[in-house]
Amino acid sequence: MSAIITLSLLAILVLYLGLFKARRALLPVSLLGLVATVVLYGVQWGKTAEPLYSGMVLFDHFAVVFSVVCVILTILVLLLSKDYFDKSSPHVAEYYALLLFSLTGAVLVVSFHNLAMLFIGIEIMSVALYILAGIRKKDFASNEAALKYFLMGAYSTGFLLFGIALLYGASGSFDLAAIKEYVVSNPQGISPLFYAGILLLIVSLAFKLGAAPFHFWTPDVYDGSPILITIFMATVVKTAAIAGFLRLFYFCFIPLQDFWVPVLLVMTIITLFVGNLTAIVQQSVKRMLAYSSISHAGYLLFAIVAIGATSANSVLFYVTAYSLSTIIGFGSLILVKRATGSEHFEAFNGLAKKNPYLSLAIAIAMLSLAGIPLTAGFVGKFMMFSGVLADYQVLLVVLAVINAAMGIFYYFRVIVAMYFKPLDRDAIVVSGPYRVVFFLAALITLLLGVYPAWLTGLI
Amino acid sequence: MSVFYFVAFLSIFFALMTIFTKNPVHSVLYLVITFFTFTVHYILLNAQFLAVVNFIVYMGAIMVLFLFVLMLLNLNKDTEPLKSNLVKFMGVIAGMCLLVTLAASFRLLQISDPVVLKNPDIGLVSNLGKVLFSDFLLPFEISSILLLTAMVGAVLLAKNDPKKV
């Protein structure tokens, strides 16, 4: 709980710093606050967790680990934000504050123990992002992204609320423990309202996750938003969404598996194919990464299809691997776009000659996204696939392997452009924070690929 | 009971009118009436606080704001985006699927004793306040972050960028 208070106060402090024109202090203060949050979570680790505030939040290992992942990803995003916002607008403090608010929402989403908290967490997370998507006021694409995200997001909130209301109508409580009690104690007499509620919750959570057929906003919003905000959406928000999804279903709905697993199974397969097939034909790297994030949402859903005790670990591993690589992918795109003004694959041509280290980091990220051995992405995919195989869903694994092969095709286009398409170009200047972020992300990706046990035993 | 059926009929009727009228201003006015019938429903359920909030905030503030925005936008036939028949068709199918799912699950319900509530005063302001400040204190407080976020965002989006000096 102290972590959530720290985060909210930190955001308000940042707002005040903006008021007093202390622009140079913004980034250090935010980073310091985030590090303090991680430390506070670390202190909590290992203590027996109990639901706090009449069962509103529960900081068990699951919540703590995913919160720490969200906070660390935000630290990396904020490091990339140095020199990024200063050019576009004078309201930098507000941007930082909104990012921190959004992070607060994400942390609530992963640690809720009451559906009211889930709703408020998702809303805080999304409302801040609706605005952040549209901060380039003069840019038409950014306006479109903000409007689209807002309208679709508000609509999906309606589904979430209706679902929660139906669950409440059936079970008489918002509390996860009470809902679980209701499901376990009436194996025969579960109200039909409850099933409708589960379906509506699947709709709204799949929307937040960006899984097909509720993915239509993803490419336009990811493409139109400023790249830094896209990184935040593709990493922190996705982490929070899948963790909240898993938490709800793992806590409450396991006895009703026969009902919702087929639904999610179909959605997973559609998501994989939609994401990968459309990513293949893209010409812009930003759009390619947006579609690839849809397909990764599909891989993440594997853990819920084959829900069990190991699901949390595989989601944790997969989401960490995916987020680190995404940060490198989009982060390098910021640099390339700044240097060439283009987001197309051709903008990466000949990068390896002039920026060998940057190219190496991008290559590692792409290999990890594609799931090549010795990277974290491979271990993540391996854990997901083996979890599903243990559930005897052979067809799903076969389809997923086909999709992984498609993924290799489009991720390698970036690598081929960098290494095998020579072009005379100037070296891109990579500033200090970017170096740190790329180095850390690439290093962790490789280390986790070789020693996966560091992360797998946590939850 | 007959009051309920009458008001329920009115809400469904005006909700349908909201969708089917061509004129957007009429549509909003019908929506206002729909919300008014909801207010009557809340009063019938003895949920006075909800009724008042629905009346003042939704009907009064938000819908009037909506009406002003619509009038300022000056919508007419020419600006209406054309949707292909395929999209309409898909929309109808998806909406009907949702309707069938919900209707089916409602149909399977047993009707409980409709008038007997454990505590008939549960919707009164004092009871709501007690719940908000005891059991639901944390969500209540955290809503302030949500409101602050929305406020910061609204100011941020609406404010003019000052000229660079």
Side-chain angles (χ1 to χ4, degrees):
Chain A
M1 196 58 216
S2 47
I4 289 179
I5 297 172
T6 316
L7 276 179
S8 339
L9 289 183
L10 177 65
I12 295 169
L13 176 68
V14 167
L15 275 180
Y16 272 104
L17 284 179
L19 192 65
F20 294 115
K21 313 269 180 220
R23 300 183 59 156
R24 307 190 125 259
L26 286 175
L27 189 60
V29 168
S30 314
L31 290 176
L32 214 63
L34 290 176
V35 171
T37 315
V38 173
V39 172
L40 285 173
Y41 270 121
V43 172
Q44 233 162 25
W45 181 259
K47 290 182 189 157
T48 43
E50 277 179 15
L52 299 172
Y53 296 95
S54 22
M56 287 297 155
V57 281
L58 172 65
F59 291 99
D60 50 359
H61 278 190
F62 180 94
V64 171
V65 167
F66 276 104
S67 306
V68 168
V69 168
C70 284
V71 175
I72 290 178
L73 290 173
T74 312
I75 292 179
L76 294 180
V77 172
L78 285 187
L79 277 175
L80 291 184
S81 78
K82 183 143 171 50
D83 309 332
Y84 183 79
F85 284 136
D86 294 341
K87 290 176 189 164
S88 58
S89 159
H91 309 296
V92 190
E94 282 82 353
Y95 302 157
Y96 282 122
L98 285 174
L99 278 175
L100 292 173
F101 278 136
S102 186
L103 174 66
T104 316
V107 166
L108 288 174
V109 170
V110 303
S111 45
F112 72 99
H113 192 260
N114 189 305
L115 292 176
M117 292 308 287
L118 172 70
F119 169 68
I120 290 185
I122 284 188
E123 276 306 280
I124 296 177
M125 183 169 85
S126 317
V127 165
L129 281 175
Y130 302 150
I131 297 147
L132 285 171
I135 50 176
R136 294 252 165 90
K137 281 184 240 175
K138 301 275 160 61
D139 182 6
F140 185 71
S142 176
N143 294 344
E144 186 197 349
L147 193 64
K148 238 177 205 168
Y149 195 25
F150 171 64
L151 289 178
M152 306 288 264
Y155 201 62
S156 89
T157 303
F159 279 95
L160 179 72
L161 273 182
F162 199 6
I164 291 177
L166 290 181
L167 290 192
Y168 181 79
S171 67
S173 176
F174 290 127
D175 193 65
L176 290 194
I179 294 175
K180 185 185 184 184
E181 170 68 25
Y182 169 79
V183 173
V184 173
S185 59
N186 314 313
Q188 297 304 319
I190 287 180
S191 159
L193 284 184
F194 200 83
Y195 292 111
I198 293 179
L199 286 180
L200 292 174
L201 280 176
I202 289 180
V203 170
S204 70
L205 289 172
F207 173 89
K208 291 294 170 207
L209 188 63
F214 310 104
H215 67 284
F216 290 101
W217 60 277
T218 321
D220 289 339
V221 172
Y222 280 21
D223 195 20
S225 312
I227 301 181
L228 199 75
I229 307 303
T230 310
I231 304 180
F232 189 81
M233 282 197 255
T235 56
V236 177
V237 174
K238 213 156 241 199
T239 308
I242 187 70
F245 204 147
L246 182 65
R247 191 173 173 86
L248 181 62
F249 277 66
Y250 184 66
F251 251 88
C252 297
F253 300 151
I254 285 191
L256 304 176
Q257 237 174 349
D258 293 340
F259 169 69
W260 52 262
V261 162
V263 180
L264 277 183
L265 190 67
V266 173
M267 276 174 52
T268 311
I269 294 171
I270 300 177
T271 308
L272 285 176
F273 276 99
V274 166
N276 282 313
L277 286 176
T278 16
I280 286 180
V281 296
Q282 299 305 319
Q283 292 308 314
S284 145
V285 176
K286 199 175 177 188
R287 260 190 118 74
M288 181 278 277
L289 284 173
Y291 278 107
S292 96
S293 85
I294 296 178
S295 76
H296 284 288
Y299 291 118
L300 284 170
L301 282 178
F302 275 38
I304 302 183
V305 169
I307 200 159
T310 55
S311 292
N313 268 323
S314 27
V315 165
L316 173 68
F317 204 96
Y318 197 93
V319 99
T320 312
Y322 156 77
S323 302
L324 289 173
S325 314
T326 307
I327 285 182
I328 300 182
F330 278 118
S332 60
L333 192 62
I334 295 180
L335 296 174
V336 170
K337 193 183 176 191
R338 210 178 272 168
T340 63
S342 154
E343 294 170 352
H344 286 235
F345 281 99
E346 288 81 40
F348 284 82
N349 282 359
L351 195 65
K353 268 237 168 81
K354 298 288 182 185
N355 294 73
Y357 295 114
L358 176 65
S359 308
L360 185 66
I362 300 175
I364 291 173
M366 292 299 149
L367 292 176
S368 174
L369 283 172
I372 304 295
L374 290 185
T375 59
F378 169 73
V379 184
K381 277 208 174 63
F382 178 78
M383 289 172 75
M384 287 292 179
F385 288 5
S386 59
V388 174
L389 266 184
D391 226 29
Y392 302 107
Q393 310 263 21
V394 181
L395 176 69
L396 181 58
V397 175
V398 172
L399 292 176
V401 169
I402 296 173
N403 275 287
M406 282 195 252
I408 290 175
F409 173 74
Y410 57 79
Y411 292 126
F412 270 59
R413 278 177 72 187
V414 179
I415 299 180
V416 168
M418 288 190 307
Y419 282 92
F420 302 110
K421 294 208 174 138
L423 182 78
D424 258 347
R425 62 185 294 162
D426 301 327
I428 294 175
V429 185
V430 185
S431 62
Y434 277 75
R435 279 169 205 243
V436 174
V437 171
F438 290 160
F439 177 73
L440 278 181
L443 186 71
I444 298 174
T445 305
L446 286 179
L447 281 181
L448 286 180
V450 184
Y451 300 107
W454 287 355
L455 205 57
T456 49
L458 273 182
I459 298 178
Chain B
M1 221 40 200
S2 54
V3 181
F4 168 77
Y5 280 117
F6 179 63
V7 179
F9 166 75
L10 282 185
S11 1
I12 294 175
F13 176 74
F14 285 117
L16 287 176
M17 289 302 282
T18 312
I19 307 173
F20 288 126
T21 42
K22 291 278 177 200
N23 189 331
V25 176
H26 289 182
S27 182
V28 173
L29 287 175
Y30 279 122
L31 196 59
V32 172
I33 304 178
T34 316
F35 279 137
F36 179 71
T37 57
F38 287 171
T39 308
V40 180
H41 276 304
Y42 290 135
I43 292 175
L44 286 178
L45 289 170
N46 205 14
Q48 294 158 4
F49 180 72
L50 264 187
V52 172
V53 167
N54 193 50
F55 191 81
I56 297 175
V57 177
Y58 275 86
M59 247 184 79
I62 294 182
M63 290 321 292
V64 172
L65 198 69
F66 212 73
L67 203 58
F68 272 116
V69 171
L70 268 186
M71 286 173 168
L72 290 178
L73 279 181
N74 191 21
L75 292 174
N76 50 39
K77 273 254 165 68
D78 305 332
T79 52
E80 194 176 327
L82 284 173
K83 294 211 180 63
S84 68
N85 279 330
L86 183 71
V87 174
K88 281 184 189 165
F89 192 62
M90 278 163 56
V92 167
I93 290 185
M96 285 299 160
C97 284
L98 182 64
L99 188 69
V100 166
T101 314
L102 289 179
S105 73
F106 285 130
R107 209 184 116 50
L108 280 172
L109 282 180
Q110 300 92 355
I111 296 173
S112 63
D113 214 357
V115 273
V116 183
L117 272 173
K118 272 180 213 153
N119 177 7
D121 294 337
I122 200 164
L124 299 188
V125 183
S126 66
N127 285 322
L128 192 71
K130 272 179 201 151
V131 173
L132 268 188
F133 284 98
S134 58
D135 289 351
F136 286 82
L137 181 66
L138 186 65
F140 182 75
E141 294 292 343
I142 286 191
S143 311
S144 61
I145 297 184
L146 178 60
L147 295 179
L148 182 62
T149 312
M151 212 149 58
V152 170
V155 173
L156 190 62
L157 286 186
K159 201 175 165 210
N160 262 334
D161 284 342
K163 293 265 174 343
K164 293 223 170 83
V165 185

